[in-house]
PDB file of all heavy atoms in Angstrom:
ATOM      1  N   ASP A  78      19.214   2.177  -6.680  1.00 98.00           N
ATOM      2  CA  ASP A  78      20.379   3.017  -6.441  1.00 98.00           C
ATOM      3  C   ASP A  78      20.561   3.263  -4.939  1.00 98.00           C
ATOM      4  O   ASP A  78      19.587   3.325  -4.183  1.00 98.00           O
ATOM      5  CB  ASP A  78      20.168   4.355  -7.177  1.00 98.00           C
ATOM      6  CG  ASP A  78      21.381   5.249  -7.079  1.00 98.00           C
ATOM      7  OD1 ASP A  78      22.363   4.950  -7.768  1.00 98.00           O
ATOM      8  OD2 ASP A  78      21.350   6.214  -6.294  1.00 98.00           O
ATOM      9  N   VAL A 415      18.827   1.114 -12.985  1.00 98.00           N
ATOM     10  CA  VAL A 415      20.274   1.281 -12.809  1.00 98.00           C
ATOM     11  C   VAL A 415      21.084   0.155 -13.427  1.00 98.00           C
ATOM     12  O   VAL A 415      22.229   0.373 -13.827  1.00 98.00           O
ATOM     13  CB  VAL A 415      20.676   1.457 -11.320  1.00 98.00           C
ATOM     14  CG1 VAL A 415      20.219   2.826 -10.818  1.00 98.00           C
ATOM     15  CG2 VAL A 415      20.121   0.333 -10.449  1.00 98.00           C
ATOM     16  N   SER A 416      20.526  -1.038 -13.532  1.00 98.00           N
ATOM     17  CA  SER A 416      21.267  -2.143 -14.164  1.00 98.00           C
ATOM     18  C   SER A 416      21.558  -1.832 -15.626  1.00 98.00           C
ATOM     19  O   SER A 416      22.478  -2.393 -16.225  1.00 98.00           O
ATOM     20  CB  SER A 416      20.478  -3.450 -14.057  1.00 98.00           C
ATOM     21  OG  SER A 416      20.439  -3.882 -12.708  1.00 98.00           O
ATOM     22  N   VAL A 417      20.775  -0.933 -16.200  1.00 98.00           N
ATOM     23  CA  VAL A 417      20.923  -0.548 -17.605  1.00 98.00           C
ATOM     24  C   VAL A 417      21.615   0.810 -17.736  1.00 98.00           C
ATOM     25  O   VAL A 417      22.451   1.006 -18.618  1.00 98.00           O
ATOM     26  CB  VAL A 417      19.516  -0.498 -18.273  1.00 98.00           C
ATOM     27  CG1 VAL A 417      19.538   0.263 -19.585  1.00 98.00           C
ATOM     28  CG2 VAL A 417      18.987  -1.912 -18.456  1.00 98.00           C
ATOM     29  N   THR A 418      21.264   1.746 -16.836  1.00 97.00           N
ATOM     30  CA  THR A 418      21.715   3.132 -17.033  1.00 97.00           C
ATOM     31  C   THR A 418      22.987   3.481 -16.281  1.00 97.00           C
ATOM     32  O   THR A 418      23.654   4.446 -16.636  1.00 97.00           O
ATOM     33  CB  THR A 418      20.624   4.124 -16.578  1.00 97.00           C
ATOM     34  OG1 THR A 418      20.348   3.887 -15.179  1.00 97.00           O
ATOM     35  CG2 THR A 418      19.334   3.954 -17.362  1.00 97.00           C
ATOM     36  N   ASP A 419      23.327   2.713 -15.237  1.00 96.00           N
ATOM     37  CA  ASP A 419      24.498   3.085 -14.426  1.00 96.00           C
ATOM     38  C   ASP A 419      25.761   2.468 -15.015  1.00 96.00           C
ATOM     39  O   ASP A 419      25.937   1.247 -14.994  1.00 96.00           O
ATOM     40  CB  ASP A 419      24.278   2.585 -12.987  1.00 96.00           C
ATOM     41  CG  ASP A 419      25.396   3.019 -12.043  1.00 96.00           C
ATOM     42  OD1 ASP A 419      26.466   3.443 -12.532  1.00 96.00           O
ATOM     43  OD2 ASP A 419      25.192   2.924 -10.823  1.00 96.00           O
ATOM     44  N   PRO A 420      26.670   3.313 -15.543  1.00 93.00           N
ATOM     45  CA  PRO A 420      27.875   2.775 -16.190  1.00 93.00           C
ATOM     46  C   PRO A 420      28.798   2.057 -15.203  1.00 93.00           C
ATOM     47  O   PRO A 420      29.670   1.299 -15.623  1.00 93.00           O
ATOM     48  CB  PRO A 420      28.553   4.017 -16.774  1.00 93.00           C
ATOM     49  CG  PRO A 420      27.984   5.176 -16.038  1.00 93.00           C
ATOM     50  CD  PRO A 420      26.622   4.777 -15.572  1.00 93.00           C
ATOM     51  N   ASN A 421      28.593   2.280 -13.897  1.00 93.00           N
ATOM     52  CA  ASN A 421      29.433   1.598 -12.910  1.00 93.00           C
ATOM     53  C   ASN A 421      28.957   0.177 -12.599  1.00 93.00           C
ATOM     54  O   ASN A 421      29.584  -0.524 -11.818  1.00 93.00           O
ATOM     55  CB  ASN A 421      29.485   2.407 -11.608  1.00 93.00           C
ATOM     56  CG  ASN A 421      30.097   3.770 -11.837  1.00 93.00           C
ATOM     57  OD1 ASN A 421      31.104   3.880 -12.533  1.00 93.00           O
ATOM     58  ND2 ASN A 421      29.480   4.803 -11.300  1.00 93.00           N
ATOM     59  N   ARG A 422      27.848  -0.183 -13.171  1.00 95.00           N
ATOM     60  CA  ARG A 422      27.332  -1.536 -12.933  1.00 95.00           C
ATOM     61  C   ARG A 422      27.602  -2.412 -14.140  1.00 95.00           C
ATOM     62  O   ARG A 422      27.576  -1.977 -15.275  1.00 95.00           O
ATOM     63  CB  ARG A 422      25.828  -1.496 -12.672  1.00 95.00           C
ATOM     64  CG  ARG A 422      25.488  -0.947 -11.306  1.00 95.00           C
ATOM     65  CD  ARG A 422      23.987  -1.046 -11.103  1.00 95.00           C
ATOM     66  NE  ARG A 422      23.604  -0.504  -9.809  1.00 95.00           N
ATOM     67  CZ  ARG A 422      23.084  -1.234  -8.822  1.00 95.00           C
ATOM     68  NH1 ARG A 422      22.869  -2.521  -8.979  1.00 95.00           N
ATOM     69  NH2 ARG A 422      22.751  -0.668  -7.685  1.00 95.00           N
ATOM     70  N   ASN A 423      27.784  -3.672 -13.847  1.00 95.00           N
ATOM     71  CA  ASN A 423      28.134  -4.633 -14.882  1.00 95.00           C
ATOM     72  C   ASN A 423      27.055  -5.722 -14.971  1.00 95.00           C
ATOM     73  O   ASN A 423      27.283  -6.822 -15.456  1.00 95.00           O
ATOM     74  CB  ASN A 423      29.496  -5.256 -14.491  1.00 95.00           C
ATOM     75  CG  ASN A 423      30.047  -6.134 -15.563  1.00 95.00           C
ATOM     76  OD1 ASN A 423      29.852  -5.860 -16.752  1.00 95.00           O
ATOM     77  ND2 ASN A 423      30.691  -7.227 -15.172  1.00 95.00           N
ATOM     78  N   ASP A 424      25.855  -5.392 -14.458  1.00 97.00           N
ATOM     79  CA  ASP A 424      24.816  -6.407 -14.259  1.00 97.00           C
ATOM     80  C   ASP A 424      24.455  -7.175 -15.535  1.00 97.00           C
ATOM     81  O   ASP A 424      24.330  -8.398 -15.524  1.00 97.00           O
ATOM     82  CB  ASP A 424      23.545  -5.756 -13.695  1.00 97.00           C
ATOM     83  CG  ASP A 424      23.770  -5.135 -12.318  1.00 97.00           C
ATOM     84  OD1 ASP A 424      24.765  -5.482 -11.662  1.00 97.00           O
ATOM     85  OD2 ASP A 424      22.935  -4.292 -11.911  1.00 97.00           O
TER      86      ASP A 424
END
Side-chain angles (χ1 to χ4, degrees):
Chain A
D78 185 74
V415 289
S416 291
V417 164
T418 59
D419 184 345
N421 298 316
R422 286 184 181 245
N423 187 34
D424 297 342

